[in-house]
Amino acid sequence: MSLPNTAYTQLTPDMRICRILNGMWQVSGAHGNINATAAVQSMFRYLDAGFVTWDLADHYGPAEDLVGEFRRQLVATRPADLSAIQAFTKWVPRGGPMTRRIVEDNINISLRRMNVQMLDLLQFHWWDYDDTGYLDALGYLSELRDEGKIRHLALTNFDTSHLKTIVDNGIKIVSNQVQFSLVDVRPMVQMSEFCRQNNIQLLTYGTVGGGLLSEGYLGQPEPGGRALNTVSLRKYKQMIDSWGGWALFQELLLALKDVAAKHDVSISNVAVRYILDRPAVAGVIVGARLSISEHLADNARVFDFTLDSQDNARLEGVLVRARDLYRIIGDCGAEYRR
């Protein structure tokens, strides 16, 4: 299996990525145990299928270590493939005063764990906007980028106002990672347009709602308790509750099924394609349950079809009856700062 050229995009002039990124949050421990040996072998299957871009973080359990081992095995067996992969990590400090030493020490940890001399993309998160130490941290990260320890600097879960503050301070940001799905379209209020105007791209997560945006939940009773057996399922079920509830969500799944049947694809394919088509979106992050379950063939079908105006109208006919999550929650990332 190989992916068409449309499956890739230039995140930056010097970095071509797959538009479906392999999300590694599911190795963090909250989605079941992961066998490291089997997980790394699974990463080779993703590579061979054309899914060459990985999204991870310093706090996703062994994610950085798995990337490091994957790279070591590539060096030993397939060195020519090293240049094909990208691994985007995150630094999520607790906050407080930021010094050059603190910032550099943490970046050095990621460099060692991932077995690289330079991080492809460092995505920075900050919990408390009232603590302006995030500007100090980003200043030092910019220095490390200029010195060659980081190729590109990015953000995760920053809202539009604080992204603007960062840009106004002369800090070069290439992307912001935000929650974005048919259920959660908050980025369309301000974020997408600001990013488009400032040459910043969006990497999105939650786009398939932890698996809720799929055939498995169409026509099913509202899940609760033990049925919501992963962190992702619990999180995105709460988003559905705020958005409009299970009955309206069933209408959305039915609309998705109609569109999917027209194109001979899956509900998840349509959910991903819709977000990929939004302004400023470079890629969608889809969780990779390494060695447990793989959806490589199904994910590849996202690039086999396009949505027309009739398809979009069918979906948006449901969305207009949902609650406005921007008014309920706030801008992108607000759910992490309450």
Side-chain angles (χ1 to χ4, degrees), residues 67-136:
V67 168
E69 179 59 25
F70 180 43
R71 287 182 55 84
R72 276 186 283 272
Q73 293 190 25
L74 280 174
V75 168
T77 62
R78 298 166 53 175
D81 287 336
L82 269 176
S83 61
I85 65 170
Q86 307 88 41
F88 300 165
T89 195
K90 304 179 187 74
W91 181 39
V92 185
R94 295 177 182 176
M98 289 286 116
T99 64
R100 163 79 186 219
R101 177 69 178 270
I102 289 172
V103 174
E104 187 167 17
D105 284 352
N106 279 276
I107 296 309
N108 284 341
I109 291 171
S110 291
L111 289 168
R112 288 195 298 270
R113 293 179 70 191
M114 295 172 66
N115 190 31
V116 293
Q117 299 298 312
M118 176 189 289
L119 300 177
D120 292 322
L121 187 77
L122 189 283
Q123 302 168 101
F124 176 74
H125 177 85
W126 192 255
W127 294 107
D128 182 7
Y129 292 139
D130 290 335
D131 178 356
T132 58
Y134 70 90
L135 291 172
D136 297 325

Side-chain angles (χ1 to χ4, degrees), residues 306-321:
T306 57
L307 296 174
D308 59 30
S309 58
Q310 185 178 31
D311 299 329
N312 288 325
R314 177 73 174 96
L315 300 175
E316 290 161 6
V318 179
L319 302 189
V320 295
R321 293 186 283 119

Side-chain angles (χ1 to χ4, degrees), residues 35-252:
N35 178 285
T37 300
V40 171
Q41 290 307 304
S42 179
M43 294 174 78
F44 279 92
R45 291 191 289 274
Y46 279 81
L47 169 60
D48 291 338
F51 295 96
V52 296
T53 309
W54 298 85
D55 177 79
L56 53 146
D58 58 342
H59 62 289
Y60 290 177
E64 291 187 336
D65 302 304
L66 292 175
V67 168
E69 179 59 25
F70 180 43
R71 287 182 55 84
R72 276 186 283 272
Q73 293 190 25
L74 280 174
V75 168
T77 62
R78 298 166 53 175
D81 287 336
L82 269 176
S83 61
I85 65 170
Q86 307 88 41
F88 300 165
T89 195
K90 304 179 187 74
W91 181 39
V92 185
R94 295 177 182 176
M98 289 286 116
T99 64
R100 163 79 186 219
R101 177 69 178 270
I102 289 172
V103 174
E104 187 167 17
D105 284 352
N106 279 276
I107 296 309
N108 284 341
I109 291 171
S110 291
L111 289 168
R112 288 195 298 270
R113 293 179 70 191
M114 295 172 66
N115 190 31
V116 293
Q117 299 298 312
M118 176 189 289
L119 300 177
D120 292 322
L121 187 77
L122 189 283
Q123 302 168 101
F124 176 74
H125 177 85
W126 192 255
W127 294 107
D128 182 7
Y129 292 139
D130 290 335
D131 178 356
T132 58
Y134 70 90
L135 291 172
D136 297 325
L138 285 165
Y140 294 128
L141 288 169
S142 297
E143 291 178 5
L144 294 174
R145 177 198 58 207
D146 295 344
E147 292 166 15
K149 288 194 171 185
I150 299 168
R151 179 168 284 113
H152 294 292
L153 188 55
L155 303 173
T156 180
N157 286 312
F158 270 78
D159 65 17
T160 311
S161 173
H162 291 87
L163 175 56
K164 182 178 186 301
T165 296
I166 291 165
V167 171
D168 288 347
N169 274 268
I171 298 169
K172 173 63 176 175
I173 298 297
V174 303
S175 65
N176 187 22
Q177 187 175 137
V178 295
Q179 185 169 294
F180 200 175
S181 71
L182 280 158
V183 169
D184 183 4
V185 296
R186 287 177 295 156
M188 294 175 64
V189 179
Q190 293 188 84
M191 179 65 69
S192 293
E193 180 59 19
F194 180 83
C195 288
R196 189 190 66 79
Q197 292 178 1
N198 289 275
N199 196 30
I200 298 169
Q201 303 205 54
L202 294 176
L203 302 176
T204 78
Y205 65 90
T207 305
V208 295
L212 290 166
L213 284 159
S214 68
E215 282 80 1
Y217 291 91
L218 176 61
Q220 296 301 308
E222 184 170 2
R226 293 181 181 178
L228 300 173
N229 58 5
T230 70
V231 170
S232 292
L233 285 173
R234 291 190 291 272
K235 173 181 179 178
Y236 296 114
K237 174 57 167 58
Q238 290 177 350
M239 296 299 297
I240 290 168
D241 294 342
S242 299
W243 170 81
W246 195 250
L248 186 62
F249 184 66
Q250 286 297 308
E251 292 187 42
L252 177 59

